[in-house]
Amino acid sequence: MAQLATLFTDFPLELALGGSLSPIDVAYQTYGTLNADKSNAILLCHALTGDAEPYLAGGEKGWWQDFIGSGLAFDTDRFFFICSNVLGGCKGTTGPASINPQTQQPYGSQFPTITVQDIVQVQKALLDHLGISHLYAVVGGSFGGMQATQWGISYPDQVERIINLCSSLTLSAEAIGFNHVMRQAIINDPHFYGGDYYDRQPPSNGLKIARMLGMLTYRTDVQLARAFGRETKQQTDVWGDYFQVESYLSYQGLKFLDRFDANSYLRLLRALDLYDPALGYPNEQTALARIKAKYTLVGVTSDQLFKQIDLHKSRQRLENAGVAVDYHEFYSNFGHDSFLVDYDFFEPMIKKALVE
């Protein structure tokens, strides 16, 4: 079970786009042992709908279950890993469903717009709380990769290595478009109530539809064709889940309702859209030039969300700013989600990045 820290009690977190939050609860988990000089700490940054527990004991599976353990890619015999639920989430860290101390009601529509920069600032406060002033590495996939990059910008002297898996420096217009459609599905659900739905029926249909669309960007046509093809279900309404692939998407959407909040989904999608390394600096090159860490970037050629061309452009932008980038790419049937499941591909690259 995740641990909890309450931060920003003496002063509020001033948000990058205005507004503030205080106090902020942060759910986090640790794995491995911190060494005497605290030089083996690695921060793991989760993707959009992840949480603070990439590894779970007792038979359940965390989102990086097969990557963490003795001798594995994230070797708990050697390193001490910290993972926290992001600001704005709904898995223990302060977000829209949390109680606003000013009103004693859930924040709901009053929860401010947050950025990756705000998320990283909260992570830094957690590490200060834990007495860790230096990170051997920051590792993240997808939305977590953006967080890892921002760590190198915001705290260049406190990070030795950045490992960015399947994430470009900024989101493409197409990806922003997908996120817009997902948001509209939620916002136009009759039970959204402007975001203040916590004492009534939530916008479940809208959130379910949003998740189904999101799943199509995380996977590939090859994987879906192999898994489902044009197979149909027996004895079903032609307007319902007639094809097996439709049934799969409906199941994923329904399952998502049990673990995520619509307002958190809206806030985090927008933080993904808004990520700009140049925020707070004269231009992007000035921001990226602050990175001193060894930077590893891994792309997947079949990724339909963070496409190969976007990863290539990100590599070039980093190198133009003087960042030494170790770039790898490969093909996977799993597309964007490969960084969560394709252990055999990612394991040697992660180990190499953590050793060299």
Side-chain angles (χ1 to χ4, degrees):
M1 187 174 180
Q3 303 172 70
L4 191 68
T6 301
L7 311 174
F8 297 97
T9 55
D10 296 330
F11 56 89
L13 170 68
E14 300 296 338
L15 300 168
L17 298 181
S20 62
L21 287 168
S22 176
I24 296 174
D25 288 331
V26 179
Y28 70 97
Q29 188 56 281
T30 63
Y31 308 92
T33 303
L34 187 63
N35 60 16
D37 62 1
K38 301 182 180 180
S39 62
N40 69 333
I42 294 178
L43 179 68
L44 302 179
C45 301
H46 70 70
L48 191 73
T49 63
D51 55 34
E53 296 184 274
Y55 178 90
L56 293 170
E60 294 184 77
K61 293 199 72 173
W63 49 270
W64 249 347
Q65 187 79 15
D66 299 329
F67 285 63
I68 299 174
S70 176
L72 298 181
F74 299 123
D75 189 353
T76 50
D77 293 336
R78 180 173 181 180
F79 298 110
F80 177 70
F81 298 94
I82 311 110
C83 183
S84 64
N85 186 214
V86 297
L87 176 69
C90 53
K91 291 292 185 177
T93 295
T94 295
S98 303
I99 298 299
N100 181 344
Q102 304 300 318
T103 65
Q104 295 305 308
Q105 298 295 322
Y107 280 100
S109 63
Q110 301 304 306
F111 195 82
T113 301
I114 57 171
T115 64
V116 170
Q117 284 81 354
D118 300 322
I119 289 169
V120 167
Q121 195 173 344
V122 172
Q123 292 167 345
K124 175 62 165 58
L126 173 64
L127 292 177
D128 290 344
H129 171 77
L130 296 175
I132 297 171
S133 60
H134 185 83
L135 287 171
Y136 184 84
V138 183
V139 186
S142 189
F143 188 47
M146 291 179 168
Q147 296 164 47
T149 297
Q150 189 57 43
W151 261 94
I153 296 169
S154 295
Y155 308 105
D157 295 317
Q158 295 171 267
V159 182
E160 290 183 41
R161 293 165 174 79
I162 293 169
I163 305 178
N164 177 357
L165 310 176
C166 303
S167 180
S168 54
L169 291 177
T170 50
L171 205 59
S172 70
E174 180 184 49
I176 292 171
F178 284 130
N179 288 351
H180 174 69
V181 175
M182 287 190 276
R183 275 191 298 272
Q184 293 308 306
I186 295 170
I187 291 169
N188 286 289
D189 186 302
H191 299 291
F192 181 61
Y193 302 113
D196 296 313
Y197 51 76
Y198 293 107
D199 60 347
R200 23 189 165 178
Q201 184 176 340
S204 298
N205 285 335
L207 183 57
K208 178 182 174 182
I209 292 168
R211 181 61 172 179
M212 287 192 285
L213 176 57
M215 290 300 298
L216 289 174
T217 70
Y218 304 150
R219 304 302 170 91
T220 66
D221 55 346
V222 172
Q223 183 198 14
L224 293 175
R226 288 183 175 179
F228 308 108
R230 289 181 51 80
E231 292 295 320
T232 59
K233 295 183 66 178
Q234 294 181 347
Q235 299 178 339
T236 187
D237 185 345
V238 71
W239 298 115
D241 294 340
Y242 183 77
F243 290 96
Q244 291 288 359
V245 68
E246 294 173 328
S247 179
Y248 165 76
L249 290 172
S250 292
Y251 169 75
Q252 291 295 329
L254 191 62
K255 187 170 69 168
F256 192 56
L257 301 180
D258 293 331
R259 70 178 186 87
F260 224 78
D261 173 57
N263 275 327
S264 281
Y265 202 50
L266 292 175
R267 295 307 191 284
L268 297 181
L269 281 174
R270 188 50 103 189
L272 182 63
D273 296 341
L274 290 172
Y275 182 57
D276 180 358
L279 183 64
Y281 299 95
N283 52 57
E284 183 182 85
Q285 189 161 8
T286 301
L288 295 178
R290 291 173 54 82
I291 298 174
K292 299 178 181 179
K294 296 178 181 178
Y295 196 110
T296 298
L297 179 61
V298 181
V300 175
T301 59
S302 56
D303 194 328
Q304 298 186 126
L305 185 59
F306 289 92
K307 294 186 176 179
Q308 185 179 20
I309 189 172
D310 298 320
L311 272 292
H312 288 178
K313 289 178 179 177
S314 294
R315 175 190 183 182
Q316 191 62 59
R317 287 151 65 186
L318 285 160
E319 290 178 342
N320 289 346
V323 180
V325 181
D326 186 18
Y327 182 74
H328 306 267
E329 69 180 22
F330 63 91
Y331 173 83
S332 170
N333 288 339
F334 291 100
H336 184 63
D337 267 358
S338 61
F339 76 93
L340 296 170
V341 295
D342 245 339
Y343 179 82
D344 289 341
F345 281 111
F346 280 94
E347 185 255 2
M349 287 178 276
I350 292 171
K351 283 189 172 180
K352 178 176 181 286
L354 290 178
V355 171
E356 293 186 355

